[in-house]
Amino acid sequence: MYNRIKRPRMQGKTSDHRDAIIRSLVMELVRNEKLKTTPNRARILKSQFDKLVTKAKKNTDHSKRLVSSFFGDNTLAITKFYKLVENNFNDRNSGYAYSARTLPRKGDNSEQMYVMVVNRVEREKKSNIQKALEKREKADKEKSVVNKVRKAVGVNKVAKAPAPVKKTIVKRGSNI
């Protein structure tokens, strides 16, 4: 399995339950590269993640077996974990994850922390205004290309189709 913590920091849970929680937290951190949790779990998660990365960097058969036994049958998590180690942690000796406090949870006002992987790529979030501006710029570029093609061909304006004739329905008994 992996090194269990000598003095459990998650009281009220059996050792199997603690191990399952830690395993799921590590898998979630590998998948999203960012995780929001309580400070106790964040400390445990950081230490366990650092130990796993150190084992994975050794790249021996034994270390591969230990890492794969931690993740179990989840081959997707194993491959993503090794890609993460290969891309982000070659130049580091330790400190593969860091944590930052955030606002307390709304429901029960418990403290919360973010645990993030070091050197992770920040995905850019765009506001609706930025998206609309980019869409408008793209439409303007397409319009200018169409106008250049029309000038090259010799057509300045597009011929419009005749307007459709409005049909009038005559009701019975009307004086029209």
Side-chain angles (χ1 to χ4, degrees):
M1 183 113 199
Y2 60 92
N3 297 338
R4 289 199 172 149
I5 298 163
K6 291 181 182 175
R7 188 193 58 161
R9 291 189 194 140
M10 281 190 261
Q11 267 120 26
K13 302 193 178 6
T14 63
S15 61
D16 290 338
H17 191 189
R18 274 195 306 271
D19 294 345
I21 289 172
I22 293 167
R23 182 178 295 112
S24 66
L25 286 172
V26 170
M27 284 188 191
E28 198 65 28
L29 183 63
V30 167
R31 187 166 38 142
N32 296 329
E33 299 181 6
K34 183 179 179 181
L35 178 68
K36 189 175 184 181
T37 185
T38 61
N40 248 359
R41 290 182 180 182
R43 279 186 224 110
I44 296 168
L45 171 63
K46 273 178 53 176
S47 68
Q48 197 60 47
F49 184 76
D50 286 354
K51 288 174 187 175
L52 272 173
V53 171
T54 305
K55 285 177 188 169
K57 282 178 69 172
K58 288 181 183 175
N59 207 15
T60 61
D61 290 339
H62 180 66
S63 65
K64 287 179 183 177
R65 264 187 257 116
L66 285 174
V67 170
S68 64
S69 72
F70 178 83
F71 285 110
D73 295 337
N74 196 341
T75 55
L76 245 162
I78 294 170
T79 55
K80 182 140 188 196
F81 177 71
Y82 274 108
K83 283 181 186 176
L84 192 71
V85 169
E86 185 180 308
N87 294 337
N88 292 354
F89 307 130
N90 285 335
D91 57 338
R92 298 182 76 88
N93 294 328
S94 62
Y96 305 112
Y98 67 97
S99 59
R101 285 195 186 274
T102 183
L103 295 173
R105 194 187 304 152
K106 281 186 180 179
D108 58 356
N109 202 28
S110 66
E111 294 179 33
Q112 295 290 296
M113 289 182 91
Y114 276 110
V115 180
M116 293 167 266
V117 174
V118 175
N119 294 339
R120 71 188 184 91
V121 177
E122 187 70 34
R123 292 170 186 88
E124 185 178 333
K125 290 187 177 180
K126 295 181 181 177
S127 68
N128 291 336
I129 295 170
Q130 288 174 331
K131 290 177 185 176
L133 288 173
E134 286 179 2
K135 193 174 181 181
R136 184 183 295 167
E137 288 174 6
K138 186 178 177 183
D140 288 343
K141 285 180 183 177
E142 289 176 1
K143 203 174 190 181
S144 66
V145 169
V146 169
N147 287 338
K148 287 179 183 177
V149 170
R150 285 183 185 158
K151 285 181 183 177
V153 174
V155 179
N156 290 336
K157 292 185 178 180
V158 178
K160 292 184 180 179
V165 178
K166 200 173 195 182
K167 294 181 181 178
T168 56
I169 301 173
V170 178
K171 294 181 182 177
R172 289 186 183 168
S174 64
N175 292 337
I176 299 179

